[in-house]
Amino acid sequence: LLGGGTGNGVTSTPTVGNGVVYVTSWSGRVFAVSARTGVPRWQYDTGSGGALGVQSSATLTADGRVLVGDSLATLHCLDARTGARLWMTSIGNPAVDHVWASPAVANGRVFMGIASHSDNPCTNGRLVTLDLDTGAVLWTRQTVPDRICTNDTGIACTTDADCGPGTCVASRGAGITATVAVDPTGETVYANTVGCFTFPSNGDEDSILKLDAATGAASWITRVQPAEQFGAAFYHDFGFLNGPLLVDADDGLGGTRPLVVSGSKDGSLYALDPASGTPVWTRAILPAPVTPAFAGFGLFNGGVGFANQRFYATLFQFTPAVVPAPQPTISTECG
C-alpha cells in the first residue's frame, strides 16, 4: 500500500521496466517500487494533489526517463532511477485544462493531449508537442477555432460582423483525453477527440486526425458525427475517450492491410485507411443514443484491444432521456 487514504487512489495502469514498477496516484504523487519486493525506491510529488492528482500512467523511455502529466496540465520529466526532476513544463491553464492521457514519445518528441477537468466548462482541446530533452514546446494544434458564430458553428469568426445575424463567441470542446498513436517511423501521429455535453460539437470534435509529428499539420481529419448548432438543452458528447489503434488486419486475400481503428462513444467501431482517412468499415455495436439521451462515459469507455485478428471491446452505457411521468387526472365533479 502506497500511502493509503481515500485521496491516494490509483486508477492508472502501472508501468514496469528495469525491475521497477512506476505508479501514479490521485494524490499527485508518483511512486517507484521494486518489482520483486514492493519496497519503495522513491516518490515524487507533482503538486497536483490539491486538484485531481494524476490519472494517467507514467511513460518510461528507453534512455531512463519517466514522463507524467497531471490534472493541472503540467508535464513532468523525471530520472527513472532516482526520481529527480529533469524538467517541468506547464502546457495549459490549471483552472480548466487537464492531462488525462499518458505521454507518447518518439524521435525526441513528447506528444501530450489536453482536455478539460469536466465538461462544465469544457476547454479548448489541443495536442501539445514538446522537446524530450528540454521540455520546450515545439508546436500546439488546437482542435476547435478560437471563436465561432452562434448562428452557424461551422463559421470561425473574430467579431460579430463575421456572423451576420449571429454573435461571435469563444469556442470550446474537442478535448484529447486519449494517448496518441505514433507510426513506426515516429513521423506521423494519430489523435482522437471527444465531445462536450455543455457545448455544441464544432471544429474537429468527434474526429480522428492524422498529423505530421514535426509540425502538427493535418494529413487528414475524419469526423464520425455531424457538427451541432446552438439551442439544444445539452449536446451529444460523442467522440473518442481512448486512442486509436494502428493494426495490420487480415485483408481477406491472404495478406494484411494497415488500419486505424477506434471505438466511439456513439456505440460504433470505426476502421479507417491510414493513407487517406476514408472508412474501410464501420460496425455499430450498439445504436447511438438519440439526443436528449446522454452518452456520458459510454459507450466505448475503455480502449479497444486487438489480437489474433480480432477486436475486443467493453461497452459502458448511456443515460436515457428523462421522460416526465404522466400526471393523474383530477376530477372536479362530484359523483
Side-chain angles (χ1 to χ4, degrees):
L1 295 176
L2 300 174
T6 57
N8 204 33
V10 175
T11 53
S12 61
T13 301
T15 303
V16 182
N18 301 321
V20 180
V21 181
Y22 302 92
V23 181
T24 66
S25 165
W26 284 60
S27 70
R29 290 180 288 174
V30 183
F31 300 91
V33 301
S34 168
R36 184 175 64 85
T37 66
V39 173
R41 299 282 186 87
W42 53 258
Q43 65 175 276
Y44 170 83
D45 191 351
T46 65
S48 61
L52 293 174
V54 181
Q55 285 71 53
S56 63
S57 299
T59 297
L60 178 64
T61 68
D63 61 359
R65 294 180 245 205
V66 172
L67 292 152
V68 176
D70 67 27
S71 57
L72 297 177
T74 298
L75 190 59
H76 306 258
C77 182
L78 314 176
D79 184 301
R81 184 176 60 85
T82 67
R85 186 171 70 208
L86 302 176
W87 53 259
M88 178 177 71
T89 302
S90 174
I91 54 175
N93 178 356
V96 292
D97 292 335
H98 194 123
V99 170
W100 292 97
S102 299
V105 178
N107 291 356
R109 304 182 187 106
V110 184
F111 305 95
M112 194 72 264
I114 294 289
S116 54
H117 299 309
S118 67
D119 279 2
N120 195 18
C122 281
T123 188
N124 293 339
R126 55 203 183 276
L127 181 65
V128 182
T129 300
L130 305 93
D131 184 277
L132 176 60
D133 291 328
T134 67
V137 174
L138 300 175
W139 55 262
T140 299
R141 182 184 179 88
Q142 189 166 292
T143 48
V144 292
D146 287 331
R147 302 177 69 82
I148 57 175
C149 294
T150 54
N151 57 310
D152 187 344
T153 59
I155 300 175
C157 57
T158 303
T159 68
D160 290 351
D162 298 325
C163 299
T167 303
C168 185
V169 298
S171 180
R172 52 186 184 264
I176 298 178
T177 60
T179 301
V180 302
V182 185
D183 82 336
T185 70
E187 295 304 326
T188 301
V189 178
Y190 298 87
N192 285 346
T193 61
V194 74
C196 172
F197 78 89
T198 60
F199 203 83
S201 174
N202 71 102
D204 296 332
E205 198 164 306
D206 305 324
S207 297
I208 303 170
L209 299 83
K210 179 181 179 179
L211 307 175
D212 184 290
T215 66
S219 299
W220 51 256
I221 300 169
T222 299
R223 197 183 233 284
V224 301
Q225 288 288 336
E228 296 176 301
Q229 298 299 326
F230 285 95
F234 57 91
Y235 302 94
H236 66 220
D237 188 17
F238 292 149
F240 305 90
L241 280 175
N242 287 278
L245 287 177
L246 305 182
V247 305
D248 288 318
D250 189 342
D251 64 2
L253 300 172
T256 61
R257 67 173 301 172
L259 294 175
V260 182
V261 180
S262 296
S264 170
K265 291 201 294 177
D266 66 8
S268 288
L269 197 64
Y270 296 90
L272 309 181
D273 183 332
S276 64
T278 56
V280 176
W281 51 259
T282 301
R283 294 289 181 271
I285 309 302
L286 285 178
V290 177
T291 302
F294 175 50
F297 288 104
L299 296 164
F300 282 95
N301 187 21
V304 177
F306 178 73
N308 299 322
Q309 296 299 316
R310 293 179 179 175
F311 292 97
Y312 299 87
T314 55
L315 284 85
F316 187 46
Q317 61 183 5
F318 65 89
T319 303
V322 176
V323 179
Q327 298 299 309
T329 301
I330 300 175
S331 175
T332 58
E333 298 179 0
C334 294

